[in-house]
Amino acid sequence: MTAPTTPVASPGIVDAVRAALGSVDDPEYPDLSIVDLGLLETLTFDGGVARVGLIPTFGGCPALAMIESDVRAAVEAVEGVERCEVTWLRSPVWTTDRMTAAARRTLADDYTVVLRGPDGGLRCPVCGGDEVEDRSIAGPTRCRSIAWCPTCRNPVEVMRT
Ligand SMILES: [Zn+2]
Protein backbone atom coordinates (compact mmCIF):
# COMPACT_ATOMS: atom_id res chain seq x y z
CA MET A 1 0.00 0.00 0.00
CA THR A 2 1.39 3.38 -0.97
CA ALA A 3 -0.26 6.51 0.29
CA PRO A 4 -1.16 9.09 -2.35
CA THR A 5 1.02 12.17 -2.24
CA THR A 6 -1.93 14.46 -2.85
CA PRO A 7 -5.32 14.17 -1.15
CA VAL A 8 -7.16 13.11 -4.26
CA ALA A 9 -10.28 11.03 -4.00
CA SER A 10 -10.02 7.38 -4.83
CA PRO A 11 -11.60 7.05 -8.29
CA GLY A 12 -12.89 3.59 -7.44
CA ILE A 13 -14.84 4.80 -4.45
CA VAL A 14 -16.21 7.85 -6.26
CA ASP A 15 -17.46 5.57 -9.02
CA ALA A 16 -19.02 3.23 -6.46
CA VAL A 17 -20.69 6.17 -4.71
CA ARG A 18 -21.98 7.49 -8.02
CA ALA A 19 -23.41 4.06 -8.81
CA ALA A 20 -25.05 3.95 -5.38
CA LEU A 21 -26.62 7.36 -6.02
CA GLY A 22 -27.95 6.01 -9.31
CA SER A 23 -29.93 3.47 -7.31
CA VAL A 24 -31.67 6.09 -5.17
CA ASP A 25 -35.11 6.64 -6.62
CA ASP A 26 -37.07 9.81 -6.28
CA PRO A 27 -39.93 9.02 -3.85
CA GLU A 28 -42.37 10.74 -6.20
CA TYR A 29 -41.27 8.74 -9.23
CA PRO A 30 -40.10 5.25 -8.25
CA ASP A 31 -38.79 4.51 -11.75
CA LEU A 32 -36.44 7.46 -11.77
CA SER A 33 -33.26 7.92 -9.80
CA ILE A 34 -32.09 11.23 -8.46
CA VAL A 35 -29.25 11.03 -11.00
CA ASP A 36 -31.74 10.62 -13.87
CA LEU A 37 -33.58 13.65 -12.58
CA GLY A 38 -30.41 15.74 -12.51
CA LEU A 39 -30.32 16.31 -8.77
CA LEU A 40 -26.68 15.34 -8.38
CA GLU A 41 -24.38 18.32 -8.76
CA THR A 42 -21.22 17.65 -6.75
CA LEU A 43 -19.59 14.56 -5.36
CA THR A 44 -16.31 14.42 -3.48
CA PHE A 45 -14.69 11.80 -1.34
CA ASP A 46 -11.94 12.49 1.13
CA GLY A 47 -10.85 10.87 4.36
CA GLY A 48 -13.68 8.38 4.38
CA VAL A 49 -16.31 11.09 4.00
CA ALA A 50 -18.43 11.29 0.87
CA ARG A 51 -19.91 14.74 0.33
CA VAL A 52 -22.89 14.85 -1.97
CA GLY A 53 -24.25 18.14 -3.26
CA LEU A 54 -27.82 17.90 -4.51
CA ILE A 55 -30.07 20.42 -6.18
CA PRO A 56 -33.68 20.43 -4.98
CA THR A 57 -36.17 20.23 -7.81
CA PHE A 58 -39.07 21.60 -5.86
CA GLY A 59 -38.80 24.14 -3.13
CA GLY A 60 -40.31 22.88 0.08
CA CYS A 61 -41.08 19.47 -1.32
CA PRO A 62 -41.55 17.05 1.59
CA ALA A 63 -39.69 14.40 -0.41
CA LEU A 64 -36.40 16.18 0.14
CA ALA A 65 -35.92 14.80 3.64
CA MET A 66 -36.70 11.33 2.34
CA ILE A 67 -34.24 11.69 -0.51
CA GLU A 68 -31.58 12.90 1.89
CA SER A 69 -31.90 9.89 4.18
CA ASP A 70 -32.07 7.49 1.21
CA VAL A 71 -28.89 9.03 -0.21
CA ARG A 72 -27.09 8.77 3.09
CA ALA A 73 -28.10 5.13 3.54
CA ALA A 74 -27.09 4.18 -0.02
CA VAL A 75 -23.75 5.97 0.08
CA GLU A 76 -22.79 4.78 3.55
CA ALA A 77 -23.38 1.22 2.36
CA VAL A 78 -20.50 1.64 -0.11
CA GLU A 79 -17.36 -0.07 1.09
CA GLY A 80 -14.78 2.46 2.19
CA VAL A 81 -17.27 5.21 2.96
CA GLU A 82 -17.46 5.98 6.65
CA ARG A 83 -19.89 8.85 6.46
CA CYS A 84 -21.98 10.67 3.90
CA GLU A 85 -22.81 14.34 4.12
CA VAL A 86 -25.67 15.63 2.02
CA THR A 87 -25.93 19.29 1.15
CA TRP A 88 -28.81 20.91 -0.68
CA LEU A 89 -27.27 23.52 -2.95
CA ARG A 90 -28.90 26.84 -3.65
CA SER A 91 -27.29 27.10 -7.04
CA PRO A 92 -27.31 26.26 -9.84
CA VAL A 93 -31.08 26.26 -10.07
CA TRP A 94 -32.61 23.00 -11.19
CA THR A 95 -34.25 23.09 -14.58
CA THR A 96 -35.85 20.34 -16.60
CA ASP A 97 -32.77 20.49 -18.87
CA ARG A 98 -30.88 18.65 -16.15
CA MET A 99 -32.98 15.53 -16.59
CA THR A 100 -31.80 12.81 -18.90
CA ALA A 101 -33.80 12.36 -22.09
CA ALA A 102 -34.78 8.90 -20.84
CA ALA A 103 -36.08 10.39 -17.59
CA ARG A 104 -38.21 12.88 -19.49
CA ARG A 105 -39.69 10.10 -21.59
CA THR A 106 -40.42 8.03 -18.49
CA LEU A 107 -42.18 10.96 -16.86
CA ALA A 108 -44.29 11.58 -19.93
CA ASP A 109 -45.07 7.93 -20.70
CA ASP A 110 -45.46 6.40 -17.26
CA TYR A 111 -46.69 9.30 -15.19
CA THR A 112 -48.30 11.65 -17.73
CA VAL A 113 -46.26 14.40 -16.22
CA VAL A 114 -45.54 17.41 -18.34
CA LEU A 115 -42.57 19.65 -17.86
CA ARG A 116 -42.66 23.37 -18.13
CA GLY A 117 -40.26 24.58 -20.81
CA PRO A 118 -37.73 27.36 -20.32
CA ASP A 119 -40.26 29.79 -21.82
CA GLY A 120 -42.88 28.72 -19.27
CA GLY A 121 -44.88 26.89 -21.91
CA LEU A 122 -46.36 23.43 -21.42
CA ARG A 123 -46.36 20.59 -23.91
CA CYS A 124 -48.80 17.71 -23.60
CA PRO A 125 -47.00 14.42 -22.88
CA VAL A 126 -49.85 12.47 -24.46
CA CYS A 127 -50.36 14.14 -27.84
CA GLY A 128 -47.60 16.74 -27.98
CA GLY A 129 -50.08 19.60 -28.16
CA ASP A 130 -48.74 22.92 -26.93
CA GLU A 131 -51.98 24.46 -25.72
CA VAL A 132 -51.96 22.87 -22.28
CA GLU A 133 -53.81 25.04 -19.81
CA ASP A 134 -53.10 25.30 -16.12
CA ARG A 135 -56.21 24.18 -14.27
CA SER A 136 -55.54 23.95 -10.60
CA ILE A 137 -52.67 24.43 -8.26
CA ALA A 138 -53.92 21.54 -6.12
CA GLY A 139 -52.32 18.46 -7.61
CA PRO A 140 -52.01 14.99 -6.14
CA THR A 141 -48.89 16.09 -4.31
CA ARG A 142 -47.37 19.39 -3.39
CA CYS A 143 -44.82 18.89 -6.16
CA ARG A 144 -47.29 18.62 -9.00
CA SER A 145 -50.26 20.53 -10.24
CA ILE A 146 -53.00 19.62 -12.66
CA ALA A 147 -53.35 20.98 -16.16
CA TRP A 148 -55.61 20.15 -19.08
CA CYS A 149 -54.84 19.50 -22.72
CA PRO A 150 -57.67 20.75 -24.95
CA THR A 151 -56.18 19.00 -27.98
CA CYS A 152 -56.51 15.41 -26.71
CA ARG A 153 -58.79 16.25 -23.77
CA ASN A 154 -56.56 14.63 -21.18
CA PRO A 155 -55.67 15.92 -17.77
CA VAL A 156 -51.92 16.11 -17.33
CA GLU A 157 -49.80 16.74 -14.31
CA VAL A 158 -47.31 19.55 -14.26
CA MET A 159 -44.09 19.16 -12.36
CA ARG A 160 -43.63 22.27 -10.30
CA THR A 161 -40.32 23.99 -10.36
ZN1 LIG B 1 -52.77 16.34 -25.39
Side-chain angles (χ1 to χ4, degrees):
M1 291 268 301
T2 53
T5 51
T6 49
V8 292
S10 157
I13 287 187
V14 169
D15 285 348
V17 169
R18 196 179 293 276
L21 290 168
S23 72
V24 177
D25 290 340
D26 186 292
E28 294 277 319
Y29 308 105
D31 290 343
L32 295 171
S33 81
I34 59 168
V35 176
D36 296 329
L37 290 169
L39 270 61
L40 178 62
E41 174 67 14
T42 60
L43 169 58
T44 62
F45 178 78
D46 188 30
V49 180
R51 291 185 177 82
V52 179
L54 301 176
I55 299 175
T57 49
F58 327 102
C61 180
L64 294 186
M66 205 182 300
I67 292 172
E68 187 173 330
S69 67
D70 286 353
V71 163
R72 208 174 289 131
V75 172
E76 288 179 351
V78 174
E79 201 179 334
V81 176
E82 289 165 26
R83 196 155 49 86
C84 172
E85 292 177 3
V86 177
T87 307
W88 291 101
L89 306 172
R90 289 177 188 278
S91 69
V93 172
W94 185 85
T95 69
T96 53
D97 293 344
R98 295 180 60 91
M99 300 176 67
T100 63
R104 275 180 239 204
R105 266 199 306 278
T106 300
L107 274 182
D109 295 348
D110 296 359
Y111 297 99
T112 330
V113 169
V114 66
L115 300 168
R116 201 175 289 276
D119 57 355
L122 300 173
R123 185 170 290 273
C124 175
V126 179
C127 72
D130 57 4
E131 292 177 357
V132 174
E133 303 161 0
D134 284 301
R135 266 300 159 90
S136 160
I137 59 161
T141 75
R142 283 170 60 188
C143 308
R144 284 177 269 170
S145 63
I146 295 294
W148 167 258
C149 175
T151 311
C152 66
R153 308 186 66 79
N154 269 304
V156 296
E157 292 181 21
V158 181
M159 189 190 268
R160 286 199 206 161
T161 54

